[in-house]
Amino acid sequence: MFEFRVITIFPELFESFREASLIGKAGSKELLKVKPIDLRDFTDDRHRTVDDAPYGGGSGMVMKAEPIFKALEKNEGCHKVLLTPQGAPLTQKIAHRLAGQSPLLLFCGRYEGVDERARGAFDEEISIGDFVLNGGEVAAMAVIEVVSRLIPGVLGNSESIVEESFSLGALEYPQYTRPEMFDGASVPHVLLSGNHKRVQDWRRGQALLRTRDRRPDLFEKLELSQLDRNLLEQAIEDKDK
Ligand code: 6GU
């Protein structure tokens, strides 16, 4: 059983999340558990204070070191992650590593940050992208979702993990479902051919074309075989027709 522990000042945000969709189903199958932990349980003043004004002045509040240390102490043995925009950008590769690190403790930073002296108590810091959230809660949910789907048995079909975008370094190919004609647009003929090899080749070509057009940064890193080059060439031709 993979265990996520989430330290947050908003534990209630995780109640519906842990019950919904894939995460909830995996929870009932006892493949994983999401345990929200209220940071305020680790304070001892009447107001359950978790933040204070920054030394040196300035706007916003800083999360106090003491409750953080107490909460982490109570959870020793976990792999401890601080969620912060200053962390390493989350990738599929990092997610695969985290999927082997249960119990995984996710600490949701709030306000303007955490006291610098508490940062050393974490094993690593992770961000989910170059934008600013008010707190790490949504980032923690992103990490839980990314990691959960890599846990054996959580996804219905384990092939879908391997085939996906980013695992192969390329974006996903275009998908279609019924009806065959929608708003004057038909489904590409090859997908109706029943020829598995042709379908596979077409999808690879489309995935490469998409990656080239939309994510040149990813495309640059792909190591293309001669077949890949031919399939991309074909996809470019099909587009120009
Ligand atoms: Cl992990 N936290 C916050 N507050 N903002 C973020 C983030 C994390 N990742 C991207 N933006």
Side-chain angles (χ1 to χ4, degrees):
M1 154 108 71
F2 194 101
E3 187 175 344
F4 297 94
R5 299 184 196 175
V6 188
I7 302 179
T8 169
I9 57 169
F10 298 118
E12 68 279 5
L13 285 180
F14 291 85
E15 290 307 325
S16 65
F17 177 73
R18 67 201 286 217
E19 282 156 27
S21 148
L22 238 129
I23 311 280
K25 275 185 210 138
S28 0
K29 281 196 272 177
E30 307 205 331
L31 295 170
L32 65 84
K33 180 157 128 190
V34 178
K35 187 182 169 200
I37 298 168
D38 191 343
L39 181 63
R40 292 191 197 278
D41 292 346
F42 300 89
T43 57
D44 20 56
D45 64 310
R46 207 161 53 84
H47 295 106
R48 313 223 299 160
T49 312
V50 291
D51 63 327
D52 206 339
Y55 275 113
S59 62
M61 298 289 267
V62 176
M63 291 184 99
K64 292 163 69 64
E66 200 184 352
I68 299 176
F69 268 95
K70 284 187 174 160
L72 293 182
E73 239 166 54
K74 201 55 182 282
N75 288 280
E76 51 188 349
C78 292
H79 183 71
K80 301 185 278 306
V81 176
L82 172 61
L83 293 161
T84 163
Q86 297 174 42
L90 181 62
T91 60
Q92 199 64 31
K93 186 175 165 197
I94 292 176
H96 275 278
R97 171 171 56 74
L98 294 176
Q101 297 183 286
S102 173
L104 185 61
L105 182 144
L106 303 172
F107 185 95
C108 304
R110 270 266 143 183
Y111 312 118
E112 269 44 44
V114 309
D115 187 304
E116 190 68 19
R117 293 164 296 185
R119 290 177 64 184
F122 292 91
D123 297 307
E124 63 183 308
E125 300 184 4
I126 290 178
S127 157
I128 61 162
D130 293 339
F131 43 80
V132 180
L133 302 166
N134 286 331
E137 283 74 13
V138 167
M141 291 181 199
V143 172
I144 292 169
E145 192 151 322
V146 172
V147 171
S148 293
R149 45 204 309 297
L150 300 176
I151 299 166
V154 171
L155 279 197
N157 141 23
S158 62
E159 276 173 2
S160 47
I161 295 179
V162 192
E163 273 187 22
E164 275 164 327
S165 300
F166 298 110
S167 301
L168 284 174
L171 299 182
E172 193 65 280
Y173 48 79
Q175 298 273 25
Y176 297 85
T177 188
R178 279 180 289 232
E180 204 176 307
M181 179 67 77
F182 175 75
D183 198 20
S186 60
V187 173
H189 250 102
V190 55
L191 299 180
L192 311 172
S193 70
N195 183 330
H196 179 66
K197 174 76 174 96
R198 280 189 61 217
V199 169
Q200 207 181 311
D201 284 350
W202 181 84
R203 286 177 167 169
R204 180 67 180 160
Q206 292 295 315
L208 293 172
L209 179 62
R210 269 200 172 178
T211 309
R212 185 196 72 159
D213 291 349
R214 298 180 190 197
R215 292 294 303 274
D217 57 317
L218 294 178
F219 186 75
E220 222 173 83
K221 292 189 213 148
L222 293 174
E223 289 178 24
L224 300 186
S225 66
Q226 188 55 54
L227 174 61
D228 285 335
R229 284 175 224 286
N230 296 343
L231 295 174
L232 174 58
E233 206 47 52
Q234 187 62 55
I236 295 168
E237 267 176 45
D238 291 348
K239 186 181 63 166
D240 294 341
K241 267 200 301 226

